[in-house]
Amino acid sequence: MNRNKCIANIKAGYLFPEVAKRRREYAQAHPDAKIISLGIGNTTEPILPHIDRGLTEGAAKLATFEGYSGYQDEGIAELRERISKVFYKGQFGIDEIFISDGAKCDIGRLQLMFGAQTPAAVQDPSYPVYVDGSVLIGAGGGWEDSGYKGITYLPCTAENDYFPDLSALKPNCLIYFCSPNNPTGAVAGREQLAVLVRAAQKNGSFIIFDAAYSEYIRDSGLPKSIFEIDEAKTCAIEVNSFSKPAGFTGVRLGWTVVSKELKYSGGESVNADWSRIASTVFNGASNISQAGGMAALDSEGLAEIRKLSDFYLGNARLIRNVLVKAGIVCTGGDNSPYIWARFPGRDSWEVFTEILEKCQVITTPGSGFGPSGQSFIRFSAFGHRADVEEACERLKKL
């Protein structure tokens, strides 16, 4: 049996396990050090009471004849209806919303649906799964100095306001776009997203729009969904998640919106294909997590989501303020839980090591998110307030 060549094509270990490995090595060498993580974007605060009751009551119902339910491949209808009402003003039917075990998992299944023959384009820097998932399905080819062959990297830098030059897009490709962006924290404006939609329509491409951090947007002038843009239904799929707004990173619940207006060039329905994928390689999200999702989307649950995201944004402001006072140029941290900090001319892993050794603080090196991430560090606001405050005191050493 030969090894899958697609796995062999991945250049190195996944970014976050590598960060964890270096943390373990430092801890072993310095057993008395109190290491604080501002690195991986895993939530830290307890699920708030009303949403938690939705989970526990959902579990209890499964022990009754009246409340028991089995497979729900595409999701419980009530939850799909509530998602449409809360996030999309009711513009989608329940058969256009598919419940999942999270945005990251959906991205992998979308890559499976579109297949190895479909080229990909990603923001640079970007969340690693867009690139690594494309390579695993065979769309990326091998590695070269500028990145993976078969993947178009669209630099997003301070110079272009973190919105890429779309003239480099290949025809008939998947465009992975995340706003608020992970890792840069930048949020695309309405006109920028309109440009993105027009570009996708012009060259026959589809946008995979990752809105996992949309509930952190506080500027009312910034769009939370690609579907706030006219005609996006004809060229975009949106993925979203309860992980970061409701603290469901360990519960696992998300959704994907695939409009019936979305068609392949031959006129076939993308919605129908996605429904087939959902029922072929996935048996649906946990019915318990879906009960929690329904609680999260009633008035009391939405208030808890706001409270939790406000808490993490408070952490972000603390981190950003201490970095700015140190003369470090930053973006993000206002409508996003991530702060993207620039260290000109420095290697990202070198800066990661310096921060770890000087401050005993874990961060994420920007180069792990793509070539344009070199010389940057991502700080995450997911942490206990006392830990974040202590980390900020330590960061004054930089």
Side-chain angles (χ1 to χ4, degrees), residues 8-250:
N9 281 334
I10 293 182
K11 178 174 181 282
Y14 190 54
L15 171 62
F16 302 120
E18 179 63 22
V19 170
K21 172 177 173 289
R22 296 192 185 207
R23 174 178 178 155
R24 287 194 302 272
E25 291 172 348
Y26 183 84
Q28 289 169 359
H30 304 84
D32 295 328
K34 180 189 175 184
I35 301 172
I36 298 174
S37 178
L38 301 180
I40 295 174
N42 196 357
T43 53
T44 58
E45 304 309 293
I47 293 172
L48 290 171
H50 176 73
I51 298 174
D52 188 60
R53 280 196 299 273
L55 292 167
T56 56
E57 290 173 5
K61 286 180 180 179
L62 294 178
T64 68
F65 285 108
E66 298 79 12
Y68 178 77
S69 57
Y71 293 130
Q72 300 281 339
D73 291 351
E74 295 165 353
I76 295 171
E78 182 183 352
L79 177 58
R80 297 156 81 184
E81 183 176 18
R82 195 168 295 183
I83 286 171
S84 180
K85 179 180 179 180
V86 169
F87 296 108
Y88 306 105
K89 299 181 180 180
Q91 64 177 303
F92 294 102
I94 63 171
D95 52 355
E96 295 175 296
I97 295 174
F98 300 79
I99 307 302
S100 73
D101 51 348
K104 181 178 180 180
C105 304
D106 268 346
I107 289 165
R109 287 186 284 265
L110 284 166
Q111 289 164 331
L112 172 66
M113 181 174 73
F114 287 108
Q117 77 284 354
T118 305
V122 298
Q123 291 164 289
D124 174 24
S126 69
Y127 185 41
V129 73
Y130 309 144
V131 171
D132 289 352
S134 297
V135 174
L136 284 172
I137 204 66
W143 174 264
E144 55 191 6
D145 289 342
S146 60
Y148 285 105
K149 293 181 286 186
I151 296 177
T152 300
Y153 292 78
L154 305 171
C156 295
T157 65
E159 289 71 26
N160 62 15
D161 196 25
Y162 294 98
F163 187 81
D165 177 3
L166 299 173
S167 64
L169 288 174
K170 295 179 181 178
N172 306 307
C173 68
L174 290 179
I175 308 167
Y176 292 93
F177 198 92
C178 179
S179 179
N181 183 262
N182 178 12
T184 68
V187 185
R190 196 171 305 277
E191 181 53 36
Q192 289 175 323
L193 291 188
V195 169
L196 177 64
V197 167
R198 290 195 293 269
Q201 290 176 320
K202 182 178 179 180
N203 78 346
S205 295
F206 288 162
I207 302 161
I208 308 299
F209 189 80
D210 187 346
Y213 299 95
S214 60
E215 289 307 296
Y216 287 84
I217 295 176
R218 293 295 180 265
D219 185 337
S220 61
L222 293 172
K224 291 187 173 184
S225 168
I226 190 68
F227 296 117
E228 294 183 37
I229 308 304
D230 291 341
E231 300 185 15
K233 290 181 181 180
T234 66
C235 64
I237 292 171
E238 182 164 299
V239 297
N240 208 323
S241 171
F242 288 85
S243 287
K244 303 304 164 56
F248 274 25
T249 51

Side-chain angles (χ1 to χ4, degrees), residues 304-324:
E304 289 188 339
I305 283 177
R306 180 77 177 203
K307 180 179 179 180
L308 188 62
S309 54
D310 276 346
F311 172 84
Y312 290 125
L313 285 172
N315 284 349
R317 283 190 293 272
L318 292 173
I319 298 165
R320 178 171 176 146
N321 287 344
V322 76
L323 294 172
V324 170

